[in-house]
Each structure stands twice: as structure tokens, then as C-alpha cells.
Amino acid sequence: MLIEKINAWAELCPERIAHRHREQTLTYAQLKTSSDSMAAWLYDEGERGEIRRGTPIVVYGHKESEMLICFIGCVKAGFPYIPVDSATPPERVRQIIEVSGAWLVLSPQRVPQDLVQTGTMIVDSLVMDQEGNLRCPGADNLSELSFPSTELQVPERNLRTVPACNQEPSPIASPERNSRTVPSCIQEDEVYYIIYTSGSTGVPKGVQITLRALESFLNWVNPAFQPEASNEVFLNQAPFSFDLSVMDLYMSLSTGGTLWSVDKDQIANPKELFASFYSSEISYWVSTPSFAEVCLMDPSFRDTLLPRVKRFLFCGEILTHDCAAKLIQRFPGAKVENLYGPTEATVAVTTLTITPEILSAFNPLPVGEVKPDALVLICDTEELTAGIVAGGGSLPFRPEVLPEGKQGEMIIAGPNVSVGYLNNPEQTEKAFFSWQESGVTWLAYRTGDAGTVKQGLLFYQGRLDFQVKLHGYRIELGEIEENLRQLQVVENAVVLPIERRGKIEYLQAFITTSKPVEDEFTAVLALREGLRQHLPEYMIPRRFKFLDKMPMTPNGKADRRALLGAQS
Ligand code: AMP
């Protein structure tokens, strides 16, 4: 099992670096001792509060080693974790805490005051010392604040809840030292992590991934991409709140690798980033294609800067022909892999090594072949919907696939498919279904992606709905529209992706208002500010256009085609 593998690296090579972020390092030995002590404390605290096993815990931060300790500690204690990046607006974090029913927020950072109104317990400002003990700095008596390796004690000042109705924070008593019970790790069919993605109804959706699904992913990628045991360095570009990071984090931890994280400030400062690449020893590059494209703009981004890179693993958005060709030319010793998959199917389900032969045969590039224990079926959307509705969420048999070359909706089935959205039966019912085959239940997810099969290879052909990818971020346009409609004066809102040369460049919002807008500049500032309370920066439209009237199609929907014509 995954956790046993990670623990085994602590025995085999305790001093090997499991995680590096700037000056901070975490060894496998430190990861084991501190996650064990955290698990023991969590387990006791859960028992004391009569918290049901499987109730999630939010881990809030940005790339700190302490986040890894929290992830593994939660799992060892039987609680799934929800990674939440600290760049997320507080209001959205609060929403995630509320809709998930999380009982605890753990963080290496000071958690913003805005969050501390949910009534959820918070343990923040966690830092790891040289010995691998977690501490909470800033207390009067330092000895009280350390979390010894066998027993984790949280000082009262770092443990607080705030009741919803403006009362003072009430401290929670520290656990009794003798109350420690042996924690029990997440089992195969239990949820291991929950990742929140954009939701078209205005509320993010929590994708639940079991240990079985995660192991099904790792049992495919590790043999396929062959990282050498305890010898690789994996780039971690995506925040832990995006499922792309699951690939680098767990490929690395399961094979005794070093996870090498870059944070958002480093990414925003290419000079510093490139200087750090030089000494990074990265051998597995895991990122969105967008990030590689930005790096490729600098001619020094080549094998002399990163001489150890063996593989580029891309997922999450279209890998363009141009980007792959440049990488193959600048890194002749490395392989470029195009993986495809959504969060709901645990990171990825298909891959293809992009060779010069593939480059000359295909543009756009295929996304490859499906992992052995899963299926990707190209189905007729309407027929499928009718079948699922008639069957009340399940089909009597495997759905029929369209002939080769025909475009349809990509359906993913297999042990890697999520068990649904947390506390959201309505959206779960829309996106997931199942069927029986030879006594086996196949769980299936409707991706909403259009695709086709040609020459035995799968091709991604865009979306069938209003979900887009912008710079690698998954965005439901409906979520932005819903949040706009909540703002004062907005009557109706439609958000469209504006493309240039086949790629989405930015988002534009089209707005009608309940009263005339006198000063558009001020109105736009107000709309942006209003959205920022709820949505991350990458979801804020770059342009806004005020309309007297929303153009409508004959069947009463906003006419998106007409709006594109009105774009400026
Ligand atoms: P996420 O859940 O953030 O990983 O986003 C999943 C969506 O990203 C998929 O449903 C696709 O629309 C898109 N996607 C993922 N991988 C690829 C790929 N290799 N090529 C094109 N689109 C992709």
C-alpha cells in the first residue's frame, strides 16, 4: 500500500530529501516521524470530538513541507484531506470548508481571520524544526510548543474555533498525553483526498478520490515512466490543490524521489526561477503545457540548463505541436509525454510519447492510448443521456461506442474513477453512472470532452459544454456568470473565452444591468472587486462589456455566437 511504500523509504534511506522548497528540506525520516505523531494526535482528537472516520480535513498553504506532513498525517489517521492553496480568496475557502463539512483546518500559515468564522477547528502556524518535529512558534514557553516525535501536542493558542455568532474564540483543551491510540490508515475503498474544482452552478465541486483510484494511477504511471528508485527529482509546479500535483507528489514519494516545489513568487520571477533550475537536478518535469511554453520563451531553457531531465510529463490541457517540437529539439535526450484526464478520473488515463514520427504524422497531437485497467469510450451524448435517465443512473450493459473517426463524448470508466462529488448528489448524478459486466461494476464519468479515435489513437477535440482551460486552470464559465449575477446592479451575465490562433487568450464578460451604468471604468472596478471576494484571480475576466440587452437565441438562451460578434 502507498503509505507503507512511503514509510519504507524512511527505513531504506532516512536522510534522502523527500521535499525541497527554496531553503526548506524534509527528509523521509522527518516525514515519517512527524506524520506519525500528527496522525496520533489527529486520531485522539477525532475520538475525543466523536468525529466520524472519513470526515475531511482541510490542509491550507502553498508548497510548504509541512503540507506534506499534514497530508500523510491525515491519511494515517483515517481522515481524507482537502488541499487548499492559500492564494484562494478567503470567501471561497470558507465555502469549501462549509460545503465539505471539514472538521479541522491544518496550516503552516497563519489562517486568515475571515475563515475563522465557520466554527471549524483551526491549527495553524505549524513549522517543522531541524529534528523533524512540528512546532508552533510565538508562544511563551517553547518546550510546550514542540510536537515531540511520538506524541503531537497542540498548544491552546494554536488551536481555536470561532462560533458563527461573533463570540470570542474558545480555546480547545489539549489532548491528554496518555490518550494516544494507534491510528488506522485509510483503506482501499475509503476516500484518500478531495480536490475542489470549478462548479457551473457557482459552488466548487469536491472530487473524492479513493486510495484504490490513486493506486490504480500509480500502478500505471510508475512502470510506464520508470522512475529509478530513490534517484529522481520531480518538478512540482502545480499547487497541491490541483490534481496535476498528485502526479509529481505521489510518483515521487512512492519511488523515494525528491519533490522539488516552485512557488508562485518564483514562477512570477523567471530570472530567479531559471537560476534555481540550474542547481535543481530535476529529472522528471511535471507541469501544464502552458508553464513549459512560458519557459520556452527563454532560449536558455534547454538541456544545458536542465541536463538531468529524462521525461516531460504534461497533462491538463492541449499540448501544442509547436511546444512538443521545441522541447524535442532542445532536450534531445528527454521523452515528451502527452497525458490526458480529468480530476474525476485521478489525474490521467491516457498517454503518448511524442516522437519526431508522431510530430510529422499528426497536428493536433493525439493524447494516446488508455491505461490497461480503464476504458475510454466515445459515445453519442444524447443516446447516453437517454439510457442513463431510463436506467436511473446505471446502464444494463456497456454503452455503445461510435465508429472510429466519429466524434462523441469521452466516457472514462475503471477503478480510477471518483466515487462522486462530496455532499453533492445532484452534480454526481449528472456526471457519473455505472454498469455491470461479467459480475464487475464499472464506475464511469462523463467528461464533457469531445473526442475521437483514429488509427487506434485517442484525440481530444474540445469541450461539449462551457468548461474551459485557461493557462492550465479548469474554469466553469457558469461559475463566473453565477457570481456576477450575485453582484449588485448585474441583471444578466455571460462569460466567453476569447481565442487567438486556436488558443484561449482571455475571458470576456458581457453584462446587462438593472440601471444604466454612468461610469463604466468605476463599474468594472467594482465588478472585479466583487468577483475577487469569491473567485481566484485566474477566473476574473480580463474584459467587461456592458450591453443594453442580452441577445437571445430563438429557444430563449443567451446567444453566445452573437456575443462573440459583439466582442471588442
Ligand atoms: P482537470 O480536472 O483540471 O485536470 O481538467 C480536466 C480537463 O482538462 C479535461 O476534461 C480536458 O478538457 C482537459 N485536458 C486534460 N488533459 C488534456 C490533454 N492532454 N489535452 C487536451 N485537454 C486536456
Side-chain angles (χ1 to χ4, degrees):
M1 286 231 298
L2 178 58
I3 294 294
E4 278 142 26
K5 275 191 195 147
I6 301 171
N7 279 343
W9 292 115
E11 295 292 320
L12 283 167
C13 39
E15 294 313 310
R16 178 152 172 81
I17 306 292
H19 184 232
R20 188 186 291 276
H21 169 233
R22 293 183 181 253
E23 306 307 314
Q24 192 184 30
T25 56
L26 171 74
T27 65
Y28 275 90
Q30 288 171 330
L31 176 59
K32 179 168 186 314
T33 34
S34 44
S35 61
D36 280 351
S37 62
M38 167 156 277
W41 179 80
L42 287 173
Y43 188 81
D44 287 348
E45 198 59 28
E47 291 266 287
R48 252 167 36 86
E50 296 181 8
I51 307 294
R52 201 170 41 82
R53 183 182 166 82
T55 309
I57 294 175
V58 165
V59 180
Y60 175 89
H62 184 69
K63 308 276 180 165
E64 299 90 348
S65 292
E66 290 82 0
M67 288 186 83
L68 273 72
I69 299 170
C70 294
F71 297 160
I72 305 297
C74 290
V75 169
K76 283 181 174 174
F79 298 108
Y81 64 87
I82 305 172
V84 176
D85 193 76
S86 51
T88 314
E91 199 39 51
R92 193 178 180 83
V93 180
R94 220 158 61 131
Q95 201 174 28
I96 290 175
I97 295 172
E98 265 170 35
V99 297
S100 69
W103 66 279
L104 174 66
V105 179
L106 294 171
S107 181
Q109 299 188 12
R110 189 76 187 153
V111 171
Q113 202 53 38
D114 319 43
L115 294 186
V116 194
Q117 284 170 3
T118 57
T120 307
M121 191 194 284
I122 298 198
V123 176
D124 63 0
S125 305
L126 291 164
V127 286
M128 190 192 60
D129 69 13
Q130 282 303 311
E131 283 75 50
N133 295 324
L134 283 177
R135 289 173 187 276
C136 298
D140 312 329
N141 180 353
L142 264 182
S143 64
E144 241 190 25
L145 294 177
S146 70
F147 304 114
S149 56
T150 50
E151 221 171 333
L152 185 113
Q153 262 221 327
V154 175
E156 289 185 2
R157 76 169 55 193
N158 279 73
L159 186 64
R160 61 191 199 278
T161 55
V162 175
C165 47
N166 283 348
Q167 291 166 15
E168 274 299 293
S170 57
I172 291 169
S174 302
E176 282 166 28
R177 285 198 160 242
N178 312 342
S179 65
R180 187 176 172 273
T181 331
V182 181
S184 58
C185 206
I186 294 283
Q187 300 297 301
E188 264 208 327
D189 288 326
E190 291 180 308
V191 177
Y192 186 102
Y193 67 77
I194 299 151
I195 282 185
Y196 273 81
T197 69
S198 182
S200 57
T201 55
V203 182
K205 297 179 292 194
V207 182
Q208 306 180 89
I209 297 297
T210 60
L211 174 61
R212 182 194 300 279
L214 177 57
E215 291 198 321
S216 145
F217 171 69
L218 292 171
N219 291 339
W220 168 54
V221 281
N222 282 341
F225 303 138
Q226 301 180 335
E228 229 175 88
S230 69
N231 196 33
E232 309 293 2
V233 178
F234 290 78
L235 170 67
N236 162 241
Q237 169 249 327
F240 294 125
S241 49
F242 288 92
D243 94 319
L244 177 61
S245 70
V246 169
M247 175 142 66
D248 42 75
L249 171 62
Y250 285 108
M251 273 184 82
S252 187
L253 290 183
S254 62
T255 60
T258 296
L259 186 71
W260 196 88
S261 284
V262 288
D263 60 45
K264 61 179 187 331
D265 295 332
Q266 287 171 297
I267 291 173
N269 182 346
K271 239 188 181 162
E272 190 196 329
L273 183 67
F274 274 54
S276 64
F277 277 158
Y278 194 69
S279 55
S280 69
E281 308 215 315
I282 291 169
S283 55
Y284 278 69
W285 177 282
V286 184
S287 82
T288 55
S290 290
F291 183 63
E293 274 169 26
V294 172
C295 292
L296 278 167
M297 280 153 74
D298 189 318
S300 74
F301 186 72
R302 53 178 315 119
D303 54 356
T304 41
L305 179 73
L306 289 157
R308 277 197 75 205
V309 172
K310 295 180 193 170
R311 280 187 202 260
F312 288 89
L313 304 179
F314 292 118
C315 191
E317 59 177 346
I318 294 170
L319 173 65
T320 62
H321 192 276
D322 185 49
C323 177
K326 277 191 187 140
L327 287 168
I328 288 173
Q329 193 225 332
R330 294 203 204 167
F331 294 85
K335 288 190 166 143
V336 176
E337 307 283 348
N338 187 17
L339 292 99
Y340 157 83
T343 307
E344 287 85 341
T346 319
V347 191
V349 282
T350 74
T351 190
L352 186 71
T353 309
I354 308 299
T355 58
E357 294 72 44
I358 295 281
L359 279 180
S360 53
F362 302 106
N363 188 9
L365 297 171
V367 292
E369 288 164 0
V370 184
K371 74 201 265 281
D373 62 353
L375 298 169
V376 176
L377 309 173
I378 307 291
C379 300
D380 180 291
T381 298
E382 276 168 28
E383 258 178 44
L384 185 67
T385 309
I388 297 171
V389 170
S394 59
L395 292 179
F397 37 71
R398 185 188 285 207
E400 204 175 309
V401 296
L402 292 168
E404 222 183 274
K406 280 246 173 197
Q407 188 185 85
E409 181 175 356
M410 299 215 243
I411 306 300
I412 300 175
N416 50 301
V417 169
S418 158
V419 287
Y421 302 118
L422 179 65
N423 301 332
N424 195 339
E426 202 178 306
Q427 295 296 323
T428 301
E429 209 172 286
K430 276 192 187 152
F432 296 89
F433 67 98
S434 64
W435 75 84
Q436 298 278 331
E437 202 173 303
S438 317
V440 176
T441 304
W442 285 81
L443 267 189
Y445 170 65
R446 304 185 65 168
T447 63
D449 289 329
T452 192
V453 176
K454 278 187 234 158
Q455 300 172 38
L457 293 170
L458 192 68
F459 288 78
Y460 167 85
Q461 298 181 310
R463 293 289 304 174
L464 295 164
D465 59 10
F466 301 119
Q467 180 183 299
V468 297
K469 277 279 167 135
L470 180 61
H471 308 310
Y473 294 111
R474 172 168 159 177
I475 300 171
E476 289 284 357
L477 298 175
E479 186 171 2
I480 309 174
E481 292 164 358
E482 198 45 47
N483 275 282
L484 276 167
R485 284 186 208 113
Q486 304 294 323
L487 299 177
Q488 259 190 355
V489 308
V490 175
E491 198 177 61
N492 199 359
V494 171
V495 177
L496 292 181
I498 307 301
E499 294 187 10
R500 223 177 54 174
R501 280 192 247 123
K503 220 175 154 100
I504 297 173
E505 204 175 71
Y506 61 90
L507 302 178
Q508 177 160 11
F510 298 84
I511 313 267
T512 56
T513 53
S514 49
K515 52 180 187 212
V517 174
E518 274 160 27
D519 175 1
E520 287 202 2
F521 182 75
T522 314
V524 168
L525 282 186
L527 290 178
R528 273 188 217 266
E529 212 27 60
L531 286 181
R532 276 201 187 103
Q533 306 298 315
H534 301 267
L535 301 178
E537 203 52 42
Y538 61 81
M539 288 178 82
I540 314 290
R542 187 192 291 177
R543 292 200 177 166
F544 291 80
K545 191 174 168 75
F546 294 98
L547 306 170
D548 295 333
K549 213 167 134 236
M550 190 63 78
M552 291 291 180
T553 62
N555 53 9
K557 289 186 178 174
D559 188 342
R560 288 165 189 265
R561 206 170 286 200
L563 283 174
L564 271 183
Q567 166 221 347
S568 64

